Amino acid sequence: METKLYDLLDRFYNEMVEIRRYLHQYPELSFKEEHTPAYIADFHKKLGHNVKTNVGGRGVTAVLQGGRPGPVIALRADFDALPIHEQTDLPFRSRVDGVMHACGHDGHTATLLILAKAINALKEKWRGTIVFIHQHAEEYAPGGAIDMIKDGCLDGVDVIFGTHLWATVPYGKIQYKHGPMMAAVDRFEIEIIGQGGHGAMPHLTKDAVVIGSQLVTNMQQLVSRRVDPLDPAVVSVGSFVAQNAFNVIADRAKLTGTVRTFSEDVRSLLEKELETITHATCQSANAEADFTFSRGYPAVVNHEGETAFLADCAYQVPGVSETEEMKPQMGGEDFAYYLKHAKGTFFFTGAQHPNWEKTYPHHHPKFDIDERSMLLAAKVMGKAALEYDN
């Protein structure tokens, strides 16, 4: 079965590339996907799968029932794009101005569709049930995963596997991580309410720019002095806006930023400390502040047994040159929600082409992948689905 699965995937590889390139030309933003889920649903319907659309909003699930009893295994791919104007010279570059598949979700979708086609060809001898989860809106919180779960996409599922094609990891390498892999992603917004005035008379004002600058400086003490150094955490201010004429002292300033953590205790601590230090800093200048903290995706925490199983599977797949346990990284993924409801693991499939002079990171307007990584991802997930026994 394993050899037959690989042979089928090799045979369907050109179609996998065609699907990826087609989807790349017609990207759709999070929560606005219409054509893509319809395309996915139609593909599965032609294979005879039990298809459900509008799952949790715009998601699609397809169920393949094998001919032999066995576990229920979910495989997930996301399909939304980003509000980025593509700057590549690819012949299949985005035809939608200002929207681009700059994170590889077109490749994820093509991978899962062709894996579904290959497994379908073997379904009479396949052991168990496969649930193909095609998720909308991974890029934009609250994301699509949580609503798809509420809508039942994991009902009866024994295990879930997912991968991300990772453009800064060399092709041929599979990265896995036991336990915490990707960080919780939270957002804060702070509006400082001071008192503006003439730039020549600062003593009559409560300068929101100065107060905001002090606040940014004070924030640097949160991770270094309030968080255990053995617990990773990031507090970053991404924007600081207080636009005025050159000779006007600002009465208001707005700061936005992100907090990244792995521990729920550290997450709660930083939420509390950020609010405290905001109000304390403003109070010291007789100013006021509005503080908002919005929780996004939780941390991706892989299950130990399933991660060890996946790593062992990947090591045996033809074309995988190296498997390694990666360090945790501070990027976020709403695959985290699936892992809170079912056993499973999330891993990276290297997608950096060895001949590229320059590699562009995810969310960059010149982002691209080595398309062979899709085939490798399909083989690793296919082997895991074939051999998993709960």
Side-chain angles (χ1 to χ4, degrees), residues 34-90:
E34 294 182 4
H35 171 76
T36 308
Y39 178 92
I40 292 167
D42 184 62
F43 188 96
H44 280 286
K45 287 175 182 177
K46 289 178 180 177
L47 293 174
H49 298 162
N50 183 6
V51 177
K52 185 178 179 181
T53 59
N54 300 317
V55 181
R58 298 178 185 267
V60 178
T61 59
V63 178
L64 181 155
Q65 181 66 57
R68 299 165 55 199
V72 180
I73 297 171
L75 304 175
R76 175 267 204 173
D78 40 17
F79 58 76
D80 56 323
L82 288 156
I84 293 173
H85 181 77
E86 184 164 356
Q87 295 178 15
T88 73
D89 57 0
L90 297 170

Side-chain angles (χ1 to χ4, degrees), residues 1-315:
M1 284 282 282
E2 181 180 330
T3 301
K4 290 180 179 179
L5 178 64
Y6 295 159
D7 288 345
L8 285 165
L9 289 170
D10 288 336
R11 190 191 311 171
F12 298 152
Y13 173 63
N14 287 339
E15 183 180 0
M16 183 185 290
V17 171
E18 289 174 3
I19 292 171
R20 183 256 165 162
R21 294 184 177 185
Y22 172 77
L23 294 174
H24 191 88
Q25 293 178 78
Y26 301 100
E28 295 181 299
L29 294 174
S30 305
F31 297 109
K32 297 180 180 179
E33 309 96 334
E34 294 182 4
H35 171 76
T36 308
Y39 178 92
I40 292 167
D42 184 62
F43 188 96
H44 280 286
K45 287 175 182 177
K46 289 178 180 177
L47 293 174
H49 298 162
N50 183 6
V51 177
K52 185 178 179 181
T53 59
N54 300 317
V55 181
R58 298 178 185 267
V60 178
T61 59
V63 178
L64 181 155
Q65 181 66 57
R68 299 165 55 199
V72 180
I73 297 171
L75 304 175
R76 175 267 204 173
D78 40 17
F79 58 76
D80 56 323
L82 288 156
I84 293 173
H85 181 77
E86 184 164 356
Q87 295 178 15
T88 73
D89 57 0
L90 297 170
F92 52 90
R93 70 192 305 275
S94 173
R95 296 186 180 185
V96 183
D97 189 46
V99 184
M100 177 190 177
H101 272 294
C103 202
H105 295 188
D106 50 347
H108 299 168
T109 301
T111 296
L112 194 57
L113 289 177
I114 291 302
L115 178 56
K117 183 175 180 177
I119 295 175
N120 183 76
L122 303 170
K123 65 181 178 182
E124 297 304 323
K125 295 185 178 180
W126 193 273
R127 187 175 56 87
T129 301
I130 305 293
V131 180
F132 300 98
I133 298 176
H134 292 274
Q135 184 203 309
H136 61 299
E138 185 278 330
E139 295 287 2
Y140 196 83
I146 192 166
D147 284 332
M148 290 191 72
I149 293 167
K150 290 177 181 176
D151 206 3
C153 75
L154 288 182
D155 290 355
V157 167
D158 295 307
V159 68
I160 184 167
F161 298 108
T163 190
H164 204 307
L165 304 175
W166 210 251
T168 54
V169 173
Y171 166 74
K173 180 181 287 190
I174 300 294
Q175 291 186 325
Y176 60 91
K177 179 71 178 72
H178 293 85
M181 176 187 181
M182 302 179 77
V185 181
D186 300 321
R187 170 191 175 98
F188 61 86
E189 296 184 9
I190 300 167
E191 184 170 19
I192 298 168
I193 306 162
Q195 181 176 314
H198 200 292
M201 302 175 218
H203 60 294
L204 300 179
T205 70
K206 300 172 185 177
D207 192 335
V209 171
V210 172
I211 298 167
S213 300
Q214 186 62 54
L215 178 56
V216 173
T217 300
N218 290 344
M219 284 182 188
Q220 307 312 305
Q221 301 177 40
L222 293 179
V223 173
S224 65
R225 291 297 178 268
R226 297 295 295 144
V227 177
D228 187 324
L230 298 179
D231 287 325
V234 168
V235 176
S236 294
V237 176
S239 68
F240 186 153
V241 180
Q243 190 167 351
N244 275 306
F246 80 98
N247 61 346
V248 175
I249 290 175
D251 64 336
R252 290 175 181 256
K254 186 173 183 178
L255 286 69
T256 62
T258 187
V259 176
R260 307 293 173 105
T261 55
F262 289 103
S263 162
E264 281 296 320
D265 288 342
V266 174
R267 191 182 194 186
S268 296
L269 172 69
L270 285 175
E271 179 179 0
K272 177 183 176 182
E273 292 292 333
L274 262 173
E275 183 171 17
T276 298
I277 204 168
T278 295
H279 289 300
T281 303
C282 291
Q283 187 177 19
S284 68
N286 292 318
E288 298 179 357
D290 287 333
F291 176 86
T292 303
F293 191 93
S294 303
R295 291 202 171 203
Y297 306 154
V300 174
V301 183
N302 287 325
H303 293 249
E304 296 287 338
E306 285 62 37
T307 302
F309 165 77
L310 186 283
D312 185 61
C313 285
Y315 179 76

